[in-house]
Amino acid sequence: KEKIISELKAKNVDYDKQLVRLSSTINELVDSNRENIERMAELELDGATKASTIQELEANLRSKITALGMMTDQNVDFKTQLSSFKSKNEELKSTIEELKSK
């Protein structure tokens, strides 16, 4: 009977040691999980911030593309006007030369 009690006490001590290790492991896992949750929250916030920045950059880029298109159209108009002015200038030069020769 004493032998059985002694064996049971030894097993109880072993189980107690295992429970302490398991408890420690669980605490470590809980801490790690908490840290991971905090990190995920930081990453989500960072992602949301970056998404917002990307949207702002896209809007800015669309605005600049629109402005560039308008400036391109304006440039084409200016080139057409310049060509017209050059043509008129040549006509005026020609008229002045004719008047000088008379």
Side-chain angles (χ1 to χ4, degrees):
K1 187 175 179 181
E2 291 294 322
K3 184 178 178 184
I4 293 174
I5 291 174
S6 179
E7 288 174 0
L8 288 174
K9 283 183 179 180
K11 284 184 180 179
N12 191 34
V13 169
D14 287 343
Y15 288 146
D16 189 47
K17 288 178 183 178
Q18 288 178 3
L19 284 173
V20 168
R21 281 194 302 261
L22 284 173
S23 177
S24 176
T25 302
I26 288 171
N27 287 337
E28 288 174 12
L29 290 172
V30 167
D31 289 343
S32 176
N33 189 42
R34 185 177 303 114
E35 290 170 2
N36 287 338
I37 289 171
E38 289 173 2
R39 180 68 180 137
M40 286 173 53
E42 290 172 6
L43 290 172
E44 286 176 356
L45 180 60
D46 188 48
T49 300
K50 287 180 179 175
S52 176
T53 300
I54 288 170
Q55 288 175 343
E56 290 174 12
L57 290 172
E58 286 175 340
N60 191 349
L61 185 57
R62 279 191 296 272
S63 174
K64 288 182 179 184
I65 288 171
T66 300
L68 182 60
M70 292 170 59
M71 292 170 84
T72 301
D73 292 343
Q74 202 174 32
N75 191 24
V76 168
D77 290 343
F78 289 154
K79 284 182 180 180
T80 303
Q81 286 178 2
L82 180 60
S83 178
S84 175
F85 291 153
K86 283 181 179 179
S87 181
K88 287 180 184 178
N89 191 36
E90 290 301 318
E91 289 175 15
L92 289 173
K93 282 182 182 179
S94 204
T95 303
I96 290 172
E97 290 302 319
E98 283 181 31
L99 290 173
K100 281 184 179 180
S101 66
K102 290 184 180 184

